[in-house]
Amino acid sequence: MTSRYDLICNVNGGSEHKIWRIKVRVIRLWRSSYFKDNNNKPMIELVVLDEQGGRIQCTVKSIHVYLFENSIKEGNVYMLENLSVALNSGKYKPTMHEFRMFFKRETRVTLVEDSSIPLYGFSFVPFVEILNETKDDRRLVDVLGVVTGKGNLIEFKKEGKPCNYVVIELENIEGGLKLRCTLWEDYAFMFLKHLEDHPSECYVVVLQFAKMKNFKGSVGVSNTTYNSKLFINANIPEIEDFQMSQLSDHASLTLEEEFLERGVYKSIADLKEVTQNSVFITIGTVKDIESEYNWCYRACKKCSLGLKLDGSMFYCKKCVTHYSTFVTRYSIQLRVVDETDSASFILFDKEASNFLKIPAYELRTSYIAKGGDKNRHPEEIDSFKDKKFLFKVQVKIQDMESIVPYVISISRLCFEDNIIASFEKKYQIEEVALIQDNSELLSQFTESSDLLKDNLSVSCDNGVDTPSPLLLTGKTASNMDSSVIKVLDVDLAEYCGNASFDTPSKCKGEMHSEQTIVRVAVHGDEQSAKKLRKVIKEEKN
């Protein structure tokens, strides 16, 4: 018999005696010291989410903390039973529910397994709604956007205590609307460290439980001291969907803009050191076509995901639909080498068709008609071999503990000699003789063939799912200099009230300086990068 429980939307403060029982995931947990005294621990505050997306704040008062502090962890799902209900009247409201709930001595907490409740429970507020606010709003909101501007790290003192913040500019998913976002203290340092450690073509940010603040007649958002959560290019569906939505913007870029102006360059060796999903530009020569992986796959007509054979039909797990037919699309695994290393790149349909000048279905039909071996590839595909390309690649992390922690997929290809020459001149890449039969270099594969077959192979014969390429778009890190964000300048005295300030120092890593550091570091000269950082720091001081 299925146990009964209440939905958050039905929680109320009615007069009838009610023992509330809710099944929820803890999506945020923090300690609040507002009412802490010397005898009691800080209160525990929770935001919980149920299967229908309802959110409500729960509180463990100081006198009850010792009963529950070891029983509740952020991210877990629990059955909570016998909680009291009160009006939601806090200074800042992480939920818009009319009520909030309190743990009692008699409250029961039971850990349960339930994957139907989302991990984060975002409730994104459109930028236009925030920008149309005429005064500060006490509700906390979730915002999602691509970073299009970054100010300097500002350091000052307020009431004798050091304070730090950085202002960034976010652009919304529809494009055109910009929102000021102020990151304070640890959130500012977290953001700047991410930019330094993970240079990328664009940064997609989620700030969950952000407060709205009116400054000089314009409403922006900032983190709170305890509640907010910051995600930067995180491997979560909401950010991945946002990144995919930017494809149309990238399609309008010329090859020169894409490869010479917008991208962040990394050698193949440096691509393998990436620890987070990122997009980079690299250059290399295709030395082999990895024939152990099929060169095409059965694709869904609607979403292009790989189909699985299910009886006499083809099933798409994304569309949750069976089809009687499929579309043939390219998925070619290229072995690419440069002067630093080699790696497998996956080339998908659009760019492959553009280079080969023949659609995948036509090539497959012709190949079958000629009696082609299904364990090999058509000779037309060999035209990639021994040719140098510029690649815009997405490095997607799968499992950092595995032998192959990443998948490198190609989102755009450039084979125009003049652009390649300009790129090599810009990054001072020396021509290295790559001998075709250099078996020593080509044999130094970091990937395990068996693991790659399990995770990456796509086929027209076995219907294995296509690895979904994740394409990032937006402004480049190197373009986010002070000229882009001049509208973000803030008046410290007006913004922070009557405070005493030291001379604000500049950001420890302005973007034009970071670009130079990146250019040194990507060539493997970390010592030079460290020296350059030291010089920049001394100049700023």
Side-chain angles (χ1 to χ4, degrees), residues 8-283:
I8 287 176
C9 62
N10 295 327
V11 172
N12 62 76
S15 57
E16 72 278 6
H17 179 69
K18 170 83 173 174
I19 297 179
W20 294 102
R21 191 169 190 261
I22 57 176
K23 184 172 70 171
V24 294
R25 186 185 298 278
V26 179
I27 61 172
R28 194 66 175 123
L29 183 152
W30 70 96
R31 298 289 187 115
S32 175
S33 58
Y34 293 127
F35 305 106
K36 181 180 180 297
D37 58 41
N38 294 329
N39 299 318
N40 293 309
K41 295 182 178 182
M43 295 189 300
I44 298 175
E45 300 285 357
L46 316 169
V47 177
V48 299
L49 175 78
D50 70 11
E51 62 196 43
Q52 291 195 357
R55 302 198 302 190
I56 194 167
Q57 184 176 354
C58 299
T59 301
V60 181
K61 295 180 179 179
S62 296
I63 58 173
H64 296 143
V65 165
Y66 76 97
L67 294 171
F68 302 105
E69 61 182 340
N70 296 321
S71 303
I72 307 173
K73 293 183 178 180
E74 186 172 307
N76 287 344
V77 177
Y78 298 96
M79 192 72 76
L80 304 180
E81 186 173 2
N82 199 2
L83 298 94
S84 61
V85 176
L87 288 173
N88 185 14
S89 57
K91 180 179 180 181
Y92 291 109
K93 299 180 179 181
T95 82
M96 291 307 295
H97 202 290
E98 182 182 358
F99 300 95
R100 61 190 295 183
M101 306 186 84
F102 286 86
F103 283 61
K104 303 187 295 185
R105 185 179 298 275
E106 300 80 17
T107 298
R108 295 178 58 185
V109 178
T110 305
L111 179 66
V112 298
E113 295 290 335
D114 191 333
S115 60
S116 67
I117 303 178
L119 288 175
Y120 305 106
F122 296 119
S123 180
F124 295 115
V125 176
F127 282 15
V128 65
E129 183 177 330
I130 296 173
L131 294 170
N132 285 337
E133 287 288 341
T134 57
K135 59 181 180 180
D136 293 350
D137 194 313
R138 294 195 305 167
R139 62 174 170 153
L140 301 183
V141 298
D142 301 346
V143 295
L144 166 69
V146 61
V147 178
T148 54
K150 180 191 76 66
N152 296 330
L153 178 69
I154 305 299
E155 302 172 354
F156 65 98
K157 287 186 177 180
K158 184 176 182 180
E159 298 176 357
K161 295 182 179 180
C163 299
N164 306 271
Y165 74 86
V166 64
V167 178
I168 64 175
E169 181 184 71
L170 300 178
E171 184 174 296
N172 64 343
I173 190 169
E174 297 84 7
L177 288 180
K178 304 290 181 67
L179 182 69
R180 188 189 75 249
C181 176
T182 306
L183 299 176
W184 291 87
E185 306 304 340
D186 290 346
Y187 295 83
F189 295 126
M190 184 191 311
F191 177 80
L192 295 174
K193 188 175 189 309
H194 185 97
L195 264 60
E196 181 179 356
D197 293 346
H198 307 285
S200 182
E201 183 172 342
C202 95
Y203 300 93
V204 179
V205 166
V206 169
L207 185 61
Q208 188 176 29
F209 304 120
K211 64 180 178 182
M212 292 184 279
K213 185 73 176 177
N214 191 312
F215 174 65
K216 292 185 176 181
S218 175
V219 177
V221 297
S222 68
N223 63 279
T224 63
T225 304
Y226 300 105
N227 328 52
S228 301
K229 291 182 74 173
L230 179 64
F231 302 82
I232 309 168
N233 282 2
N235 188 18
I236 58 177
E238 289 79 7
I239 285 183
E240 292 180 355
D241 289 345
F242 183 92
Q243 291 164 339
M244 292 298 292
S245 73
Q246 303 291 298
L247 288 176
S248 58
D249 178 59
H250 257 249
S252 63
L253 296 178
T254 66
L255 289 172
E256 289 85 353
E257 290 173 327
E258 190 88 87
F259 290 97
L260 299 179
E261 300 174 17
R262 297 293 188 102
V264 176
Y265 165 66
K266 276 190 179 293
S267 67
I268 291 178
D270 290 324
L271 290 178
K272 291 183 174 183
E273 299 301 318
V274 171
T275 58
Q276 291 197 356
N277 293 348
S278 305
V279 170
F280 299 104
I281 304 298
T282 194
I283 186 171

Side-chain angles (χ1 to χ4, degrees), residues 260 390 417-428:
L260 299 179
L390 283 172
D417 293 338
N418 61 323
I419 298 178
I420 292 174
S422 297
F423 185 89
E424 290 177 324
K425 182 178 180 181
K426 178 179 180 179
Y427 292 101
Q428 299 179 351

Side-chain angles (χ1 to χ4, degrees), residues 455-466:
N455 291 332
L456 304 183
S457 75
V458 289
S459 171
C460 284
D461 300 309
N462 59 20
V464 177
D465 287 346
T466 313

Side-chain angles (χ1 to χ4, degrees), residues 472-485:
L472 297 174
T473 64
K475 310 300 186 293
T476 67
S478 59
N479 286 338
M480 291 194 294
D481 57 20
S482 57
S483 64
V484 176
I485 49 81

Side-chain angles (χ1 to χ4, degrees), residues 300-339:
C300 174
K301 295 181 291 184
K302 183 177 180 181
C303 70
S304 298
L305 190 71
L307 300 175
K308 288 186 176 180
L309 186 62
D310 186 9
S312 60
M313 301 289 284
F314 303 99
Y315 178 71
C316 177
K317 67 178 183 181
K318 182 176 181 179
C319 301
V320 196
T321 304
H322 283 85
Y323 298 99
S324 59
T325 60
F326 61 86
V327 177
T328 301
R329 293 185 178 275
Y330 287 113
S331 177
I332 306 170
Q333 292 214 185
L334 308 175
R335 195 68 196 179
V336 182
V337 298
D338 68 1
E339 70 274 17

